[in-house]
Amino acid sequence: MSEQTDLREALLDLGLEDLIPLPEITTAEEIRSVREGATVADLSAALIGLLREGLIQIWSGHWSQDPEVVDPVTAEDLLRVPEQYTFNSPADQRMRVYYVNVDNVRA
């Protein structure tokens, strides 16, 4: 298996747990064990691929409120913002972004 395939599988497995905030991905053991040193660009590309295949959904909302599912075009834009992958960044404080495996939750 390629590193990209392993990363995709790890993201899908992690997404079975719940709505996963993007910043959590960068420190998740599931991700580090298959792709140590994965960059935000790597994570973003893998998530966009999974989104386009219909395997994940993107949700967002202010961190203190319940998130809502986001349309695919907006979702891709949010997945491309590097600040969304860091807790307490200006982007994260405005609107936290989550992903989920559709086998777990589907809106």
Side-chain angles (χ1 to χ4, degrees):
M1 267 190 191
S2 73
E3 281 189 349
Q4 189 63 20
T5 301
D6 291 344
L7 179 60
R8 289 168 46 90
E9 289 302 316
L11 287 166
L12 285 173
D13 288 346
L14 182 61
L16 285 171
E17 295 176 13
D18 202 355
L19 294 176
I20 306 298
L22 294 187
E24 188 174 308
I25 299 170
T26 62
T27 60
E29 181 59 35
E30 297 89 338
I31 304 305
R32 290 192 335 227
S33 68
V34 299
R35 186 77 185 270
E36 186 68 41
T39 66
V40 168
D42 296 332
L43 297 170
S44 174
L47 288 168
I48 289 170
L50 294 169
L51 176 69
R52 288 178 178 171
E53 293 172 39
L55 299 173
I56 64 169
Q57 284 184 326
I58 304 302
W59 295 57
S60 71
H62 190 269
W63 62 268
S64 66
Q65 300 171 344
D66 289 334
E68 296 182 2
V69 72
V70 177
D71 69 87
V73 173
T74 302
E76 280 196 36
D77 289 343
L78 290 171
L79 291 173
R80 287 187 175 98
V81 178
E83 283 187 335
Q84 290 296 161
Y85 296 82
T86 304
F87 282 118
N88 297 318
S89 69
D92 177 59
Q93 288 189 356
R94 278 190 309 276
M95 180 184 307
R96 183 157 293 163
V97 178
Y98 306 80
Y99 86 97
V100 66
N101 184 324
V102 296
D103 288 339
N104 180 11
V105 175
R106 185 188 294 261

